[in-house]
Amino acid sequence: MCADNGGRGSIQSVLYQKPMRFAVSNKGRACRQAGFTFVELLVVVGIMILLSGGGLATFLDLRDRRVVLAGARTVEQALREASRRSLAGEKPSGCGSNPLKGYQVRIVSGSIYTSAVCPGSTVTETQVDVSGIKLSTTQSVIFFGGLKGGSTAATVSICQFPGGKYLYQVTVNSTGAIEAPLRKPGSC
């Protein structure tokens, strides 16, 4: 059933209205029906699905990259802390009266161990577990030589596990300088 306004209506109301579809009422007169067709609704829903799918893929990719970068920054922080303690000569009580030789960092299957090295003993001070990433290094132990300076030159590679789509590297040179994480092309 259509509503009838008696054929009255201003030109402005006709010009500024959305286009309407016309149907025939049971009395044979044309009347307007508002709404969308099924095909129009399907097109809109399809576009929404495509946009949300692309957004989700981008979000997941960004999340994976952030996880690997966070792991690289954790490695960098552990190396910088070992270098700082070594240069400052911070000797833990576990060394007793022995002099401090320096600090070492070991990376073993997703864990980073920082230890003080004194003659006759090695005192493990911190352990940091990094989950969701794979760590590998060119040297099994990275040593920072204390007040005498120098260190073991090494490169630590950090990548996503499993999959290995993103690869970052932290480099320690022989003078003890630590380079910030750099993204490398390729995968693990």
Side-chain angles (χ1 to χ4, degrees), residues 77-112:
Q77 182 180 2
L79 292 169
R80 287 193 189 282
E81 182 63 17
S83 176
R84 185 196 66 77
R85 286 180 172 188
S86 177
L87 290 172
E90 290 182 14
K91 184 174 82 169
S93 61
C95 284
S97 61
N98 295 328
L100 178 70
K101 281 187 172 180
Y103 276 80
Q104 69 181 16
V105 175
R106 289 183 302 121
I107 297 175
V108 181
S109 65
S111 294
I112 305 166

Side-chain angles (χ1 to χ4, degrees), residues 116-176:
V117 179
C118 303
S121 68
T122 300
V123 181
T124 302
E125 293 194 320
T126 60
Q127 174 185 350
V128 178
D129 295 320
V130 185
S131 62
I133 60 172
K134 178 182 171 187
L135 302 172
S136 60
T137 182
T138 57
Q139 300 290 329
S140 59
V141 175
I142 302 170
F143 181 76
F144 294 93
L147 297 174
K148 295 177 184 171
S151 71
T152 306
T155 299
V156 181
S157 297
I158 304 101
C159 64
Q160 182 184 3
F161 183 77
K165 188 173 172 183
Y166 297 104
L167 172 66
Y168 284 85
Q169 290 183 336
V170 177
T171 305
V172 180
N173 66 26
S174 60
T175 63

Side-chain angles (χ1 to χ4, degrees), residues 5-61:
N5 66 357
R8 293 175 301 235
S10 69
I11 290 186
Q12 287 180 340
S13 66
V14 172
L15 290 177
Y16 295 112
Q17 288 182 349
K18 289 175 64 178
M20 301 284 192
R21 296 192 181 34
F22 290 94
V24 178
S25 70
N26 58 359
K27 296 181 182 176
R29 293 181 306 200
C31 64
R32 289 185 271 165
Q33 279 184 327
F36 297 103
T37 66
F38 183 67
V39 173
E40 290 172 331
L41 290 174
L42 283 177
V43 168
V44 169
V45 169
I47 290 171
M48 289 173 44
I49 289 172
L50 286 174
L51 291 175
S52 64
L56 181 63
T58 302
F59 171 75
L60 293 176
D61 188 53

